[in-house]
Amino acid sequence: MTARVGVITFPGTLDDRDTQRAVRIAGLEPVPLWHRDKDLQQVDAVVLPGGFSYGDYLRAGAISRFSPVMEKVIEGAREGMPVLGICNGFQVLTETHLLPGAMLRNNHLHFICRDQKLRVENAETAWTSDYEVGQEISVPLKNIDGRYVADERTLDMLEAEGRVAFRYVDVNPNGSLRDIAGITNEAGNVVGLMPHPEHAVEPLVGTGRTDGLGFFTSILKKLVSA
């Protein structure tokens, strides 16, 4: 049986179709989930894709956190279900406190869209096992509320526990503290990052490289071996 990965669509989500395509290319079955759904249709993992859910009114990800589907996502994540939050999805994960810290407006106060180099810092999560620590990858980045912040105690904890999953390389595009581009929870089943791996899974689009495909092949291996 093919492993099933749910991809949630909120009002204002932009990258759900791209994410479904990335899931399919990796050999998984994408399952569209709507923000009002009250069950996850027996999926094995969930991706919260990028966009501007609810127009980013109030605060990026703040309203999506209260969508009915998120009750089941939070419950599943705490029970070990793999969850990936990309860009706006990362913002939602911080709002639910499945991941620590918060996302603020870019320090230069402008929307940014560019190919971004990242360094893999943790290759032991459910979503990063197909990478190697120290490996550098390039994936698209596009955000205006992409500055990761947390208090010093939280930042030190993330560093000490190896929970920084990715860092920006060469340039910090948004002022994220300690160049953090993505983090993981303690168990390694929940990962959030600002750049968009789903836009770098086939050579004809995005960066023209497939550096982002490892997220989806990693979860394939995780689910198949489970």
Side-chain angles (χ1 to χ4, degrees):
M1 182 179 294
T2 304
R4 292 157 48 88
V5 177
V7 179
I8 298 176
T9 299
F10 301 98
T13 295
L14 301 179
D15 301 305
D16 43 351
R17 296 294 183 90
D18 301 73
T19 303
Q20 291 173 30
R21 180 173 177 80
V23 167
R24 188 177 296 108
I25 288 173
L28 298 143
E29 178 185 349
V31 179
L33 298 174
W34 183 235
H35 70 115
R36 291 185 180 273
D37 289 346
K38 295 183 179 180
D39 71 82
L40 298 180
Q41 301 183 32
Q42 298 181 319
V43 297
D44 302 296
V46 167
V47 180
L48 282 64
F52 299 91
S53 60
Y54 294 94
D56 277 351
Y57 294 121
L58 182 63
R59 189 173 59 248
I63 300 176
S64 297
R65 178 260 178 274
F66 295 101
S67 291
V69 73
M70 287 307 299
E71 294 182 16
K72 295 301 182 181
V73 172
I74 295 169
E75 179 182 313
R78 289 175 175 166
E79 294 176 353
M81 181 182 69
V83 177
L84 175 65
I86 302 170
C87 196
N88 192 230
F90 186 11
Q91 295 160 346
V92 175
L93 291 178
T94 62
E95 291 290 337
T96 62
H97 304 296
L98 288 174
L99 293 175
M103 311 303 301
L104 299 181
R105 186 62 49 100
N106 296 344
N107 61 345
H108 45 73
L109 304 181
H110 295 287
F111 181 86
I112 187 169
C113 182
R114 54 168 289 150
D115 291 343
Q116 177 66 48
K117 187 180 292 185
L118 306 175
R119 183 172 63 247
V120 180
E121 302 283 8
N122 184 331
E124 297 181 1
T125 79
W127 299 92
T128 61
S129 62
D130 256 6
Y131 296 109
E132 297 180 0
V133 172
Q135 181 178 350
E136 294 187 357
I137 63 175
S138 180
V139 297
L141 172 79
K142 49 177 186 172
N143 63 68
I144 194 169
D145 295 298
R147 178 161 55 107
Y148 180 76
V149 298
D151 59 51
E152 287 297 312
R153 181 178 179 180
T154 299
L155 292 170
D156 290 343
M157 174 196 69
L158 291 172
E159 300 278 12
E161 296 180 0
R163 290 171 54 189
V164 176
F166 297 91
R167 289 188 211 272
Y168 297 114
V169 177
D170 294 340
V171 61
N172 184 326
N174 45 37
S176 290
L177 297 180
R178 304 195 189 182
D179 298 328
I180 291 174
I183 60 175
T184 179
N185 67 341
E186 186 175 3
N189 63 303
V190 179
V191 170
L193 79 160
M194 286 309 297
H196 288 260
E198 79 280 11
H199 295 325
V201 296
E202 49 190 342
L204 291 178
V205 297
T207 61
R209 301 167 57 164
T210 59
D211 291 8
L213 189 58
F215 283 83
F216 305 99
T217 56
S218 292
I219 198 61
L220 172 64
K221 292 180 180 179
K222 169 71 175 179
L223 296 176
V224 168
S225 64

